[in-house]
């Protein structure tokens, strides 16, 4: 069968659903959608196969709980196993993590291309990636957070940064006319955020492509060392019941873009041989510091994230940002119970949350979990990274006080619940034990890294899996280093280059 369409869950009684195309792309997030639309624009017949369901704006949830249930991978329950168990947050829905992210758009820094050339033997990417990033910025309406959507938390962050003489800015995001509802984590019901389910996925269909949703791929089908398609069975989005089997045959190639945690597992499960599969997992671990202000801040009024500073990207190695999280998540960060928690919550309107993303050097692994098809991430921060982590919290604390906060809530186990400006020095001796902190990993890298040498890389500089034909990877798992900036733009730029190379082959 072929022809433009969307195939959602199919009952088991349907037997096997077969589709044949030029290229099949596994995953519809930042990498998958960018690769698919490039292939489709190049005249190829493309199928996107996505594990999650297709949800339109009116079906996005309002709460963090709803987001975990409907939009996140495995209810957001994946954790990095190390000394601490920090959540690894990713989406499982049409559009991938672009549906639940904050749409912050940052071009790949020049030093990253130089590093890839020097350490991985991959040159010639800079101009091509940047050209694609320029195009994507036009197509996805990248704009600075408009003044009306800045909200008080972002304005205060700018005030604090200016007071300290830091270089900082209001963010540029893939958003057309942000209304400042602070709901990015639950999906943008106003359809202002340009997640890939709104643009590149529908365009792929409009260009004659096919999209399968609720369709987790269980393996890439190989004939010898050539990838000829993908196979799996539909899974009902609510009951999780197994549906029909699907087989998508690819005449020209298979692109795997199932994310840093799922791509390595899928390659391993499919029998792809490389000792580098699942190696070199990296992340930007991050946490927030709350500032308490006399006047209401109402952090959920305004863009979810609107202000950032990259001044500390190289030294000590981190990025600072504002972040508004839903009230129920704030409650979990305020700690305590009963009357004490209610008193703390009463302050909610007066709290601003700012966070860091640490450019950690530590590496981990992604492997199939025993007796399941889920990924297992092993990862922990070494002492140098924990020092960066602590340093970032100190910077955020100082920024809050420079913006006029009367106290901060550091959220560090064993330290006072609140610190005033004269106590900020206590943070210099804050523990370096990850268990004492609540952090998440939202920017992930590696697991199928690129490099010229097959002994130290899974894919080459065109995303082609070393030693295989017609098998490409086009997501964050190819990224061999920690960027120190938000990764979506780099992922999209690389995926576009890889798709272009496949068309030219
Ligand atoms: C809360 C949050 C906020 C973020 N904010 C930003 C931001 O503002 N700016 C930024 O640059 N980055 C941000 N990021 C990171 C960014 O969203 C990700 O780095 C990026 O989306 C990763 O792209 P990807 O293509 O590798 O994977 P994803 O976008 O996660 O897409 C992978 C897709 O593959 C699907 N899939 C998985 N397994 C299978 C399978 N077996 N079969 C079929 N499909 C499968 C998944 O369901 C998913 O849809 C954020 C991340 C989070 C969690
Ligand atoms: S802040 Fe609200 S309107 Fe703006 S992009 Fe996020 S969800 Fe959409």
């Amino acid at each position: 069968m072929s022809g433009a369409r969307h195939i959602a869950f199919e009952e088991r009684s349907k037997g096997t659903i077969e589709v044949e195309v030029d290229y099949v792309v596994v995953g519809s997030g930042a990498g998958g959608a960018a690769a698919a639309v490039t292939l489709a624009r190049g005249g190829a017949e493309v199928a996107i196969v996505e594990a999650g369901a297709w949800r339109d704006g009116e079906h996005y949830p309002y709460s963090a709980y709803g987001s975990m249930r409907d939009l996140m991978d495995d209810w957001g329950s994946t954790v990095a196993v190390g000394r601490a168990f920090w959540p690894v947050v990713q989406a499982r829905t049409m559009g991938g993590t672009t549906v639940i992210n904050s749409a912050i758009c940052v071009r790949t820094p020049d030093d990253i291309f130089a590093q890839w050339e020097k350490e991985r033997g991959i040159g010639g990417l800079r101009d091509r990636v940047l050209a694609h990033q320029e195009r994507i910025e036009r197509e996805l309406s990248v704009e600075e957070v408009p003044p009306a959507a800045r909200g008080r938390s972002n304005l205060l962050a700018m005030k604090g940064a200016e007071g300290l003489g830091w270089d900082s800015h209001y963010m540029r995001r893939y958003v057309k006319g942000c209304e400042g509802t602070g709901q990015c984590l639950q999906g943008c019901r106003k359809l202002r955020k340009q997640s890939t389910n709104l643009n590149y996925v529908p365009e792929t269909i409009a260009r004659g492509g096919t999209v399968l949703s609720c369709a987790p791929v269980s393996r890439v089908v190989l004939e010898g060392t050539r990838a000829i398609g993908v196979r799996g069975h539909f899974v009902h989005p609510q009951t999780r019941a197994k549906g029909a089997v699907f087989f998508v045959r690819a005449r020209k190639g298979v692109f795997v873009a199932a994310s840093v945690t799922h791509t390595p597992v899928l390659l391993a499960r499919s029998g792809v041989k490389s000792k580098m599969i699942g190696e070199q997992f990296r992340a930007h671990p991050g946490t927030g510091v709350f500032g308490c202000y006399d006047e209401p801040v109402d952090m959920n009024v305004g863009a979810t994230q609107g202000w950032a500073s990259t001044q500390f990207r190289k030294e000590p190695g981190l990025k600072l940002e504002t972040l508004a999280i839903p009230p129920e998540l704030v409650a979990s960060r305020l700690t305590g119970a009963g009357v004490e928690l209610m008193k703390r919550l009463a302050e909610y309107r007066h709290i601003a949350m700012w966070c860091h993303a640490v450019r950690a050097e530590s590496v981990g692994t992604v492997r199939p979990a025993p007796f399941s098809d889920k990924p297992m991430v092993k990862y922990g921060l070494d002492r140098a990274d924990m020092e960066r982590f602590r340093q970032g919290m100190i910077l955020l604390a100082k920024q809050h006080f420079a913006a006029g906060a009367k106290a901060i809530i550091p959220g560090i186990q064993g330290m006072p619940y609140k610190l005033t400006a004269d106590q900020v020095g206590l943070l210099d001796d804050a523990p370096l034990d990850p268990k004492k902190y609540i952090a998440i990993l939202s920017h992930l890298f590696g697991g199928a890294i690129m490099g010229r040498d097959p002994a130290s890389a899974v894919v080459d500089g065109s995303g082609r899996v070393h030693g295989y034909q017609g098998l490409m990877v086009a997501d964050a798992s190819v990224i061999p280093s920690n960027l120190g900036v938000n990764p979506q733009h780099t992922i999209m730029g690389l995926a576009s280059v890889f798709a272009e190379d496949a068309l030219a082959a």
Side-chain angles (χ1 to χ4, degrees), residues 188-228:
C188 181
R189 294 176 70 90
K190 305 275 184 187
L191 303 184
R192 300 308 169 109
K193 179 168 65 176
Q194 299 303 299
S195 46
T196 57
N197 55 328
L198 299 186
N199 36 65
Y200 292 157
V201 174
E203 183 180 334
T204 302
I205 297 180
R207 289 180 181 274
T210 302
V211 171
L212 281 69
S213 63
C214 312
V217 169
S218 56
R219 57 175 50 230
V220 175
V221 182
L222 299 169
E223 262 178 18
T225 52
R226 171 169 289 282
I228 60 152

Side-chain angles (χ1 to χ4, degrees), residues 19-310:
V19 175
E20 184 169 329
V21 288
D22 293 328
Y23 291 98
V24 58
V25 179
V26 181
S28 63
V37 81
T38 306
L39 293 165
R41 287 176 187 178
E45 201 181 345
V46 181
I48 298 175
V49 185
E50 167 55 52
W54 190 318
R55 290 180 201 276
D56 293 321
E58 68 265 32
H59 299 132
Y60 289 157
Y62 283 103
S63 66
Y65 167 80
S67 183
M68 289 160 89
R69 181 195 57 213
D70 295 343
L71 302 177
M72 291 197 187
D73 186 30
D74 218 7
W75 285 71
S77 67
T78 308
V79 290
V81 179
R83 173 138 176 89
F85 286 59
W86 286 345
V88 177
V89 186
Q90 291 186 116
R92 186 185 187 90
T93 187
M94 189 62 70
T97 308
T98 71
V99 175
I100 61 160
N101 77 11
S102 302
I104 303 158
C105 171
V106 187
R107 289 189 191 178
T108 316
D110 273 350
D111 56 79
I112 292 294
F113 294 112
Q115 186 186 1
W116 291 348
E117 186 151 9
K118 184 166 169 245
E119 294 175 4
R120 313 298 308 163
I122 303 280
L125 281 177
R126 182 187 174 279
D127 292 353
R128 296 182 67 199
V129 167
L130 290 182
H132 280 295
Q133 290 180 339
E134 261 185 64
R135 167 187 58 78
I136 292 166
E137 286 164 30
R138 282 193 305 276
E139 291 173 355
L140 302 191
S141 313
V142 170
E143 63 180 23
E144 190 179 272
V145 177
R150 282 182 191 162
R152 213 166 125 66
S153 176
N154 295 313
L155 297 174
L156 282 169
M158 182 60 89
K159 181 179 168 194
E162 281 173 356
L164 294 164
W166 295 351
D167 187 14
S168 79
H169 56 274
Y170 292 113
M171 288 165 172
R172 296 175 75 236
R173 296 154 75 231
Y174 314 95
V175 180
K176 201 174 185 173
C178 178
E179 291 194 25
T181 62
Q183 286 259 313
C184 293
L185 188 66
Q186 296 98 301
C188 181
R189 294 176 70 90
K190 305 275 184 187
L191 303 184
R192 300 308 169 109
K193 179 168 65 176
Q194 299 303 299
S195 46
T196 57
N197 55 328
L198 299 186
N199 36 65
Y200 292 157
V201 174
E203 183 180 334
T204 302
I205 297 180
R207 289 180 181 274
T210 302
V211 171
L212 281 69
S213 63
C214 312
V217 169
S218 56
R219 57 175 50 230
V220 175
V221 182
L222 299 169
E223 262 178 18
T225 52
R226 171 169 289 282
I228 60 152
V230 300
R231 181 182 289 284
H233 57 73
F234 290 94
V235 173
H236 193 278
Q238 268 140 15
T239 64
R240 312 276 176 203
K242 266 190 183 182
V245 169
F246 62 83
F247 173 55
V248 185
R249 181 178 290 279
R251 291 183 284 260
K252 296 185 178 168
V254 174
F255 277 78
V256 181
S259 79
V260 163
T261 55
H262 286 283
T263 288
V265 170
L266 181 55
L267 292 176
R269 205 192 301 132
S270 305
V272 174
K273 303 275 181 264
S274 163
K275 70 178 177 55
M276 289 305 292
I277 291 178
E279 297 294 321
Q280 295 288 311
F281 170 91
R282 293 170 191 264
H284 286 159
T287 193
V289 173
F290 293 165
C292 308
Y293 292 81
D294 282 328
E295 297 297 318
V297 178
D298 292 324
M299 71 161 126
N300 286 98
V301 177
T304 307
Q305 298 200 260
W307 169 94
S309 172
T310 49

